[in-house]
Amino acid sequence: MLKRIEDWNYYELLSVERTASQDEIWEGYQAALSTYKDGSLALYGLVSEVERGLILERLQEAFQTLRDPDKRKEYNLALLRHAPYFPPQAPFRKSVGKLEIEEAPPRKTIWARLKRLFVKNP
Amino acid sequence: MDKRIWAIGGGKGGTGKSFIAANLGLHLASLDREVVLIDADLGAPNLHTLLGMKAAHPDLGDFLTGSLPSLEAAAVETPYKNLRLVRGSENILFIANLAHYRKLRLLRQVRQLPTQNVILDLGTGSSFNTLDFFLSANPGVVVTTPEPTSIENTYLFLKSCIMRVLKLYMDHYKIRDLHQKMLDQIEKNSQSLYGFFKSLMETDRSYGTILYRALRGFRPCLVMNKARDQEDALLGRSVADVVRKYLLIDMKYLGAVPFDEDVHDSLRALRPYYPDHRNSAAAKAIRQMSEELAYSIEFTLRTPPEVRLPDA
């Protein structure tokens, strides 16, 4: 879902599923720390220093909450009240491998529309 | 036939796009799969040199000028079994400024090639031609290196792709007045991509939905080339994560290709790298990448995982 960075929930912040184990949460936390550490190349040209500081604070908060089973349970309940959780689904749609735009039928010109209106058997 | 069209592109020159394209092709061909490599670097073609071949005709220019009836006729045999190559054109001035209808013809013919695997080696930069080739592939692979210049250009390239996708849809749905608004907002910083969609959702939810879906359908992959240590390899994962969060696109990290001095030696000897260094770490990374890419067919065709739309 389209979200502002401040609105990411703790799981999105650590890039883990809501069903993640404690180990996965630890790994996600370490990976996120390395992404947002001081002087991180991954942020070069895209994320400002202020934004980085904010995210680091939230990362700490996220990890403190999710590693404590009681706090995590409470947080999960609060999240569920806010938005339902759908686990990732299996693929079900086949694409034609084209840009949709290339496939779109050409728009009818005004002449074609008029012809349809006034000519009985175009 | 499950057709695979992969485009190897990126924002900066010298990151190893042609190296990755050539060696991916050589690896797939060694698995007894038919592969056509297309040197679509319109400004500076050199894929033939990486395969140890000389520039010659027929080439892509012969097809584009109409001297050849089809792209298939421009695909020449290489010294390697199952691998064919469409050489880049030497007529650079004409080709680099490709007319729109010629580009569409090329894209159509790429899809019609009677070969299961097609790999497009794209040029540097964000010209419309390069972006459209990249977007038409399934998936497009961005090659970057662990240097600030390269990372910066990767983000710029992805932003250009995003703008191109959105503009194509805006043109189609005749919502051109939005285009300038988007340019003004998005070019300022990454956060404003969110701001653009948010304000669009408030003013016109239906167009917002269309454009957001279009954006989520764009799912490129990332390769970190010339990685010298574990930290460089992890940097690729971080870049993909930042792209997912800040540019709102679902990017998959294919892995890192370790730096190897032998690449330079192979180039000097005019020999392709892969057949002579099958047991090297870089060759292993390329094999792994091709498996990931094959899997990513599923990945790219799957409906994007997050299709719920923001509340206005």
Side-chain angles (χ1 to χ4, degrees):
Chain A
M1 197 160 92
L2 185 56
K3 278 182 177 177
R4 194 194 295 271
I5 280 106
E6 297 84 58
D7 299 336
W8 292 334
N9 69 40
Y10 292 161
Y11 294 101
E12 288 168 332
L13 209 61
L14 300 182
S15 302
V16 293
E17 284 296 323
R18 285 198 206 179
T19 48
S21 67
Q22 285 295 323
D23 284 350
E24 285 168 333
I25 287 171
W26 167 253
E27 277 170 27
Y29 176 61
Q30 291 303 323
L33 276 188
S34 74
T35 303
Y36 296 101
K37 70 182 178 200
D38 189 19
S40 167
L41 264 187
L43 309 179
Y44 191 79
L46 198 71
V47 181
S48 72
E49 200 53 29
V50 182
E51 279 176 313
R52 190 184 73 81
L54 283 174
I55 290 170
L56 268 183
E57 271 174 33
R58 286 214 70 205
L59 272 179
Q60 296 291 349
E61 216 175 281
F63 183 63
Q64 297 296 342
T65 308
L66 298 187
R67 76 171 185 176
D68 181 333
D70 293 335
K71 281 188 190 168
R72 184 176 175 183
K73 205 171 168 185
E74 211 173 292
Y75 181 73
N76 284 351
L77 279 174
L79 263 187
L80 276 175
R81 256 179 250 129
H82 180 67
Y85 172 62
F86 302 104
Q89 290 178 340
F92 63 89
R93 186 171 64 96
K94 271 279 173 191
S95 164
V96 284
K98 278 186 182 184
L99 282 182
E100 266 180 56
I101 213 78
E102 285 178 67
E103 281 223 303
R107 286 175 76 88
K108 285 213 168 90
T109 59
I110 184 98
W111 171 241
R113 273 186 273 159
L114 283 174
K115 209 160 113 180
R116 210 177 50 196
L117 278 177
F118 295 111
V119 181
K120 273 185 186 165
N121 296 310
Chain B
M1 186 168 66
D2 218 5
K3 185 138 186 162
R4 291 168 184 173
I5 303 173
W6 298 338
I8 317 291
K12 191 178 168 294
T15 53
K17 294 183 286 294
S18 303
F19 170 79
I20 300 275
N23 290 295
L24 259 181
L26 284 162
H27 167 59
L28 287 179
S30 72
L31 298 176
D32 259 357
R33 297 189 196 148
E34 294 276 322
V35 184
V36 172
L37 276 169
I38 301 177
D39 194 348
D41 187 341
L42 304 181
N46 55 17
L47 196 56
H48 51 268
T49 310
L50 277 160
L51 292 171
M53 294 165 74
K54 294 260 184 307
H57 289 275
D59 62 18
L60 189 63
D62 295 332
F63 162 70
L64 289 168
T65 49
S67 311
L68 291 174
S70 68
L71 189 61
E72 171 76 0
V76 294
E77 295 292 335
T78 65
Y80 304 92
K81 201 184 150 205
N82 296 322
L83 183 68
R84 288 185 298 154
L85 170 72
V86 177
R87 289 190 183 93
S89 172
E90 291 177 311
N91 190 353
I92 285 169
L93 260 183
F94 158 74
I95 295 289
N97 302 299
L98 200 61
H100 183 68
Y101 72 96
R102 289 188 202 272
K103 176 176 68 189
L104 288 184
R105 180 163 169 252
L106 177 58
L107 282 173
R108 207 166 42 238
Q109 292 256 340
V110 168
R111 279 199 294 270
Q112 285 168 0
L113 274 176
T115 309
Q116 195 184 3
N117 301 287
V118 179
I119 302 176
L120 289 160
D121 175 31
L122 303 182
T124 302
S126 304
S127 71
F128 278 178
N129 289 335
T130 308
L131 293 181
D132 286 350
F133 292 140
F134 188 79
L135 294 173
S136 68
N138 193 12
V141 179
V142 183
V143 181
T144 188
T145 54
E147 294 143 8
T149 41
S150 184
I151 303 285
E152 191 176 22
N153 287 1
T154 298
Y155 290 142
L156 281 176
F157 179 75
L158 288 171
K159 275 189 188 180
S160 306
C161 287
I162 290 172
M163 308 268 251
R164 184 69 181 150
V165 170
L166 295 180
K167 187 176 182 308
L168 280 170
Y169 277 77
M170 284 176 188
D171 283 353
H172 183 72
Y173 288 98
K174 307 270 185 234
I175 35 179
R176 291 203 181 92
D177 49 326
L178 264 180
H179 186 230
Q180 194 51 45
K181 193 175 157 193
M182 173 183 80
L183 285 179
D184 292 346
Q185 285 202 355
I186 297 178
E187 280 191 344
K188 279 183 209 150
N189 60 52
S190 56
Q191 274 281 44
S192 55
L193 190 59
Y194 173 87
F196 169 72
F197 274 106
K198 185 83 179 163
S199 64
L200 184 58
M201 285 295 175
E202 280 159 9
T203 50
D204 196 327
R205 198 173 165 79
S206 58
Y207 283 143
T209 309
I210 290 168
L211 293 183
Y212 186 56
R213 272 177 180 270
L215 184 67
R216 297 296 296 174
F218 169 52
R219 320 180 96 207
C221 295
L222 179 78
V223 170
M224 182 61 71
N225 194 20
K226 302 185 192 175
R228 286 167 199 265
D229 51 27
Q230 188 65 21
E231 203 176 323
D232 287 349
L234 290 176
L235 176 63
R237 188 178 62 176
S238 294
V239 169
D241 194 44
V242 167
V243 165
R244 276 193 292 270
K245 289 194 164 100
Y246 285 84
L247 299 182
L248 310 178
I249 47 178
D250 199 3
M251 184 175 231
K252 184 184 166 79
Y253 180 44
L254 292 179
V257 179
F259 179 82
D260 190 345
E261 276 298 342
D262 290 343
V263 174
H264 179 72
D265 297 340
S266 297
L267 265 177
R268 288 291 295 267
L270 292 176
R271 294 264 313 151
Y273 174 82
Y274 188 79
D276 297 344
H277 303 85
R278 276 173 194 275
N279 296 322
S280 67
K284 277 181 199 154
I286 284 165
R287 280 197 288 276
Q288 201 178 346
M289 192 193 309
S290 83
E291 277 166 30
E292 288 276 336
L293 267 171
Y295 164 73
S296 72
I297 290 288
E298 289 293 307
F299 167 80
T300 47
L301 300 188
R302 194 178 68 198
T303 303
E306 297 163 2
V307 287
R308 283 183 295 145
L309 287 154
D311 299 323

PDB file of all heavy atoms in Angstrom, chain B residues 282-302:
ATOM      1  N   ALA B 282      32.773 -15.193 -10.167  1.00  0.00           N
ATOM      2  CA  ALA B 282      31.897 -14.355 -11.001  1.00  0.00           C
ATOM      3  C   ALA B 282      31.000 -15.226 -11.884  1.00  0.00           C
ATOM      4  O   ALA B 282      29.819 -14.936 -12.063  1.00  0.00           O
ATOM      5  CB  ALA B 282      32.744 -13.419 -11.851  1.00  0.00           C
ATOM      6  N   ALA B 283      31.576 -16.302 -12.431  1.00  0.00           N
ATOM      7  CA  ALA B 283      30.787 -17.194 -13.290  1.00  0.00           C
ATOM      8  C   ALA B 283      29.674 -17.860 -12.475  1.00  0.00           C
ATOM      9  O   ALA B 283      28.547 -18.019 -12.942  1.00  0.00           O
ATOM     10  CB  ALA B 283      31.687 -18.245 -13.919  1.00  0.00           C
ATOM     11  N   LYS B 284      30.016 -18.231 -11.241  1.00  0.00           N
ATOM     12  CA  LYS B 284      28.997 -18.841 -10.369  1.00  0.00           C
ATOM     13  C   LYS B 284      27.864 -17.851 -10.113  1.00  0.00           C
ATOM     14  O   LYS B 284      26.691 -18.203 -10.122  1.00  0.00           O
ATOM     15  CB  LYS B 284      29.626 -19.249  -9.032  1.00  0.00           C
ATOM     16  CG  LYS B 284      30.310 -20.602  -9.105  1.00  0.00           C
ATOM     17  CD  LYS B 284      30.884 -20.966  -7.751  1.00  0.00           C
ATOM     18  CE  LYS B 284      31.938 -22.056  -7.948  1.00  0.00           C
ATOM     19  NZ  LYS B 284      32.947 -22.066  -6.910  1.00  0.00           N
ATOM     20  N   ALA B 285      28.252 -16.595  -9.873  1.00  0.00           N
ATOM     21  CA  ALA B 285      27.240 -15.567  -9.606  1.00  0.00           C
ATOM     22  C   ALA B 285      26.336 -15.388 -10.824  1.00  0.00           C
ATOM     23  O   ALA B 285      25.129 -15.202 -10.685  1.00  0.00           O
ATOM     24  CB  ALA B 285      27.926 -14.250  -9.259  1.00  0.00           C
ATOM     25  N   ILE B 286      26.936 -15.489 -12.009  1.00  0.00           N
ATOM     26  CA  ILE B 286      26.131 -15.319 -13.232  1.00  0.00           C
ATOM     27  C   ILE B 286      25.159 -16.490 -13.399  1.00  0.00           C
ATOM     28  O   ILE B 286      24.002 -16.307 -13.764  1.00  0.00           O
ATOM     29  CB  ILE B 286      27.051 -15.162 -14.459  1.00  0.00           C
ATOM     30  CG1 ILE B 286      27.618 -13.738 -14.442  1.00  0.00           C
ATOM     31  CG2 ILE B 286      26.311 -15.408 -15.759  1.00  0.00           C
ATOM     32  CD1 ILE B 286      28.779 -13.510 -15.320  1.00  0.00           C
ATOM     33  N   ARG B 287      25.627 -17.694 -13.058  1.00  0.00           N
ATOM     34  CA  ARG B 287      24.732 -18.861 -13.136  1.00  0.00           C
ATOM     35  C   ARG B 287      23.556 -18.689 -12.184  1.00  0.00           C
ATOM     36  O   ARG B 287      22.404 -18.919 -12.525  1.00  0.00           O
ATOM     37  CB  ARG B 287      25.504 -20.137 -12.785  1.00  0.00           C
ATOM     38  CG  ARG B 287      26.330 -20.671 -13.937  1.00  0.00           C
ATOM     39  CD  ARG B 287      26.718 -22.104 -13.695  1.00  0.00           C
ATOM     40  NE  ARG B 287      27.736 -22.241 -12.659  1.00  0.00           N
ATOM     41  CZ  ARG B 287      29.044 -22.114 -12.867  1.00  0.00           C
ATOM     42  NH1 ARG B 287      29.480 -21.831 -14.077  1.00  0.00           N
ATOM     43  NH2 ARG B 287      29.902 -22.260 -11.891  1.00  0.00           N
ATOM     44  N   GLN B 288      23.893 -18.250 -10.976  1.00  0.00           N
ATOM     45  CA  GLN B 288      22.858 -18.070  -9.960  1.00  0.00           C
ATOM     46  C   GLN B 288      21.857 -16.995 -10.416  1.00  0.00           C
ATOM     47  O   GLN B 288      20.651 -17.149 -10.240  1.00  0.00           O
ATOM     48  CB  GLN B 288      23.529 -17.631  -8.664  1.00  0.00           C
ATOM     49  CG  GLN B 288      22.691 -17.902  -7.449  1.00  0.00           C
ATOM     50  CD  GLN B 288      23.434 -17.498  -6.195  1.00  0.00           C
ATOM     51  OE1 GLN B 288      24.640 -17.261  -6.212  1.00  0.00           O
ATOM     52  NE2 GLN B 288      22.710 -17.396  -5.106  1.00  0.00           N
ATOM     53  N   MET B 289      22.407 -15.951 -11.018  1.00  0.00           N
ATOM     54  CA  MET B 289      21.563 -14.860 -11.475  1.00  0.00           C
ATOM     55  C   MET B 289      20.589 -15.337 -12.551  1.00  0.00           C
ATOM     56  O   MET B 289      19.431 -14.958 -12.569  1.00  0.00           O
ATOM     57  CB  MET B 289      22.481 -13.790 -12.060  1.00  0.00           C
ATOM     58  CG  MET B 289      21.827 -12.472 -12.325  1.00  0.00           C
ATOM     59  SD  MET B 289      22.899 -11.481 -13.325  1.00  0.00           S
ATOM     60  CE  MET B 289      24.401 -11.582 -12.456  1.00  0.00           C
ATOM     61  N   SER B 290      21.076 -16.210 -13.448  1.00  0.00           N
ATOM     62  CA  SER B 290      20.200 -16.672 -14.522  1.00  0.00           C
ATOM     63  C   SER B 290      19.061 -17.513 -13.947  1.00  0.00           C
ATOM     64  O   SER B 290      17.933 -17.466 -14.430  1.00  0.00           O
ATOM     65  CB  SER B 290      20.986 -17.452 -15.571  1.00  0.00           C
ATOM     66  OG  SER B 290      21.160 -18.778 -15.169  1.00  0.00           O
ATOM     67  N   GLU B 291      19.368 -18.266 -12.885  1.00  0.00           N
ATOM     68  CA  GLU B 291      18.292 -19.049 -12.240  1.00  0.00           C
ATOM     69  C   GLU B 291      17.268 -18.125 -11.603  1.00  0.00           C
ATOM     70  O   GLU B 291      16.060 -18.318 -11.727  1.00  0.00           O
ATOM     71  CB  GLU B 291      18.878 -19.977 -11.176  1.00  0.00           C
ATOM     72  CG  GLU B 291      19.409 -21.266 -11.764  1.00  0.00           C
ATOM     73  CD  GLU B 291      20.285 -22.003 -10.774  1.00  0.00           C
ATOM     74  OE1 GLU B 291      20.047 -21.871  -9.568  1.00  0.00           O
ATOM     75  OE2 GLU B 291      21.208 -22.706 -11.229  1.00  0.00           O
ATOM     76  N   GLU B 292      17.773 -17.116 -10.922  1.00  0.00           N
ATOM     77  CA  GLU B 292      16.873 -16.142 -10.287  1.00  0.00           C
ATOM     78  C   GLU B 292      16.000 -15.458 -11.337  1.00  0.00           C
ATOM     79  O   GLU B 292      14.818 -15.218 -11.125  1.00  0.00           O
ATOM     80  CB  GLU B 292      17.688 -15.078  -9.550  1.00  0.00           C
ATOM     81  CG  GLU B 292      18.351 -15.572  -8.293  1.00  0.00           C
ATOM     82  CD  GLU B 292      17.401 -15.527  -7.105  1.00  0.00           C
ATOM     83  OE1 GLU B 292      16.457 -14.745  -7.145  1.00  0.00           O
ATOM     84  OE2 GLU B 292      17.612 -16.305  -6.157  1.00  0.00           O
ATOM     85  N   LEU B 293      16.644 -15.149 -12.476  1.00  0.00           N
ATOM     86  CA  LEU B 293      15.899 -14.471 -13.535  1.00  0.00           C
ATOM     87  C   LEU B 293      14.829 -15.375 -14.116  1.00  0.00           C
ATOM     88  O   LEU B 293      13.719 -14.930 -14.396  1.00  0.00           O
ATOM     89  CB  LEU B 293      16.856 -14.043 -14.651  1.00  0.00           C
ATOM     90  CG  LEU B 293      17.417 -12.641 -14.532  1.00  0.00           C
ATOM     91  CD1 LEU B 293      18.506 -12.433 -15.563  1.00  0.00           C
ATOM     92  CD2 LEU B 293      16.338 -11.596 -14.733  1.00  0.00           C
ATOM     93  N   ALA B 294      15.179 -16.640 -14.286  1.00  0.00           N
ATOM     94  CA  ALA B 294      14.195 -17.588 -14.812  1.00  0.00           C
ATOM     95  C   ALA B 294      13.016 -17.661 -13.851  1.00  0.00           C
ATOM     96  O   ALA B 294      11.854 -17.683 -14.259  1.00  0.00           O
ATOM     97  CB  ALA B 294      14.826 -18.958 -14.988  1.00  0.00           C
ATOM     98  N   TYR B 295      13.322 -17.656 -12.570  1.00  0.00           N
ATOM     99  CA  TYR B 295      12.268 -17.686 -11.577  1.00  0.00           C
ATOM    100  C   TYR B 295      11.473 -16.383 -11.618  1.00  0.00           C
ATOM    101  O   TYR B 295      10.265 -16.368 -11.406  1.00  0.00           O
ATOM    102  CB  TYR B 295      12.850 -17.895 -10.173  1.00  0.00           C
ATOM    103  CG  TYR B 295      11.872 -17.555  -9.079  1.00  0.00           C
ATOM    104  CD1 TYR B 295      10.800 -18.400  -8.811  1.00  0.00           C
ATOM    105  CD2 TYR B 295      11.986 -16.380  -8.351  1.00  0.00           C
ATOM    106  CE1 TYR B 295       9.879 -18.084  -7.836  1.00  0.00           C
ATOM    107  CE2 TYR B 295      11.069 -16.048  -7.378  1.00  0.00           C
ATOM    108  CZ  TYR B 295      10.022 -16.906  -7.123  1.00  0.00           C
ATOM    109  OH  TYR B 295       9.103 -16.574  -6.171  1.00  0.00           O
ATOM    110  N   SER B 296      12.174 -15.302 -11.954  1.00  0.00           N
ATOM    111  CA  SER B 296      11.516 -13.993 -11.883  1.00  0.00           C
ATOM    112  C   SER B 296      10.447 -13.831 -12.949  1.00  0.00           C
ATOM    113  O   SER B 296       9.700 -12.869 -12.944  1.00  0.00           O
ATOM    114  CB  SER B 296      12.525 -12.863 -11.971  1.00  0.00           C
ATOM    115  OG  SER B 296      13.003 -12.783 -13.282  1.00  0.00           O
ATOM    116  N   ILE B 297      10.387 -14.778 -13.908  1.00  0.00           N
ATOM    117  CA  ILE B 297       9.259 -14.766 -14.840  1.00  0.00           C
ATOM    118  C   ILE B 297       7.979 -14.849 -14.004  1.00  0.00           C
ATOM    119  O   ILE B 297       7.053 -14.073 -14.160  1.00  0.00           O
ATOM    120  CB  ILE B 297       9.339 -15.973 -15.810  1.00  0.00           C
ATOM    121  CG1 ILE B 297      10.503 -15.791 -16.774  1.00  0.00           C
ATOM    122  CG2 ILE B 297       8.047 -16.141 -16.584  1.00  0.00           C
ATOM    123  CD1 ILE B 297      10.321 -14.748 -17.823  1.00  0.00           C
ATOM    124  N   GLU B 298       7.997 -15.788 -13.069  1.00  0.00           N
ATOM    125  CA  GLU B 298       6.859 -15.898 -12.156  1.00  0.00           C
ATOM    126  C   GLU B 298       6.714 -14.598 -11.373  1.00  0.00           C
ATOM    127  O   GLU B 298       5.634 -14.075 -11.199  1.00  0.00           O
ATOM    128  CB  GLU B 298       7.101 -17.026 -11.155  1.00  0.00           C
ATOM    129  CG  GLU B 298       7.022 -18.404 -11.774  1.00  0.00           C
ATOM    130  CD  GLU B 298       5.613 -18.722 -12.227  1.00  0.00           C
ATOM    131  OE1 GLU B 298       4.711 -18.593 -11.393  1.00  0.00           O
ATOM    132  OE2 GLU B 298       5.432 -19.050 -13.401  1.00  0.00           O
ATOM    133  N   PHE B 299       7.854 -14.111 -10.936  1.00  0.00           N
ATOM    134  CA  PHE B 299       7.874 -12.927 -10.086  1.00  0.00           C
ATOM    135  C   PHE B 299       7.260 -11.716 -10.797  1.00  0.00           C
ATOM    136  O   PHE B 299       6.463 -10.985 -10.246  1.00  0.00           O
ATOM    137  CB  PHE B 299       9.329 -12.647  -9.706  1.00  0.00           C
ATOM    138  CG  PHE B 299       9.582 -11.310  -9.081  1.00  0.00           C
ATOM    139  CD1 PHE B 299       9.313 -11.098  -7.743  1.00  0.00           C
ATOM    140  CD2 PHE B 299      10.109 -10.265  -9.819  1.00  0.00           C
ATOM    141  CE1 PHE B 299       9.567  -9.873  -7.154  1.00  0.00           C
ATOM    142  CE2 PHE B 299      10.356  -9.044  -9.242  1.00  0.00           C
ATOM    143  CZ  PHE B 299      10.084  -8.844  -7.907  1.00  0.00           C
ATOM    144  N   THR B 300       7.631 -11.539 -12.073  1.00  0.00           N
ATOM    145  CA  THR B 300       7.161 -10.328 -12.749  1.00  0.00           C
ATOM    146  C   THR B 300       5.728 -10.467 -13.248  1.00  0.00           C
ATOM    147  O   THR B 300       5.053  -9.470 -13.427  1.00  0.00           O
ATOM    148  CB  THR B 300       8.046  -9.966 -13.953  1.00  0.00           C
ATOM    149  OG1 THR B 300       8.254 -11.135 -14.694  1.00  0.00           O
ATOM    150  CG2 THR B 300       9.350  -9.376 -13.517  1.00  0.00           C
ATOM    151  N   LEU B 301       5.295 -11.705 -13.486  1.00  0.00           N
ATOM    152  CA  LEU B 301       3.946 -11.853 -14.025  1.00  0.00           C
ATOM    153  C   LEU B 301       2.904 -11.913 -12.914  1.00  0.00           C
ATOM    154  O   LEU B 301       1.727 -11.792 -13.160  1.00  0.00           O
ATOM    155  CB  LEU B 301       3.840 -13.114 -14.887  1.00  0.00           C
ATOM    156  CG  LEU B 301       4.769 -13.144 -16.082  1.00  0.00           C
ATOM    157  CD1 LEU B 301       4.443 -14.325 -16.963  1.00  0.00           C
ATOM    158  CD2 LEU B 301       4.657 -11.871 -16.889  1.00  0.00           C
ATOM    159  N   ARG B 302       3.380 -12.109 -11.708  1.00  0.00           N
ATOM    160  CA  ARG B 302       2.463 -12.189 -10.582  1.00  0.00           C
ATOM    161  C   ARG B 302       1.819 -10.817 -10.372  1.00  0.00           C
ATOM    162  O   ARG B 302       2.448  -9.800 -10.609  1.00  0.00           O
ATOM    163  CB  ARG B 302       3.289 -12.561  -9.353  1.00  0.00           C
ATOM    164  CG  ARG B 302       2.534 -13.016  -8.173  1.00  0.00           C
ATOM    165  CD  ARG B 302       3.546 -13.366  -7.105  1.00  0.00           C
ATOM    166  NE  ARG B 302       4.225 -12.152  -6.636  1.00  0.00           N
ATOM    167  CZ  ARG B 302       5.370 -12.167  -5.969  1.00  0.00           C
ATOM    168  NH1 ARG B 302       5.997 -13.288  -5.755  1.00  0.00           N
ATOM    169  NH2 ARG B 302       5.899 -11.052  -5.541  1.00  0.00           N
TER     170      ARG B 302
END
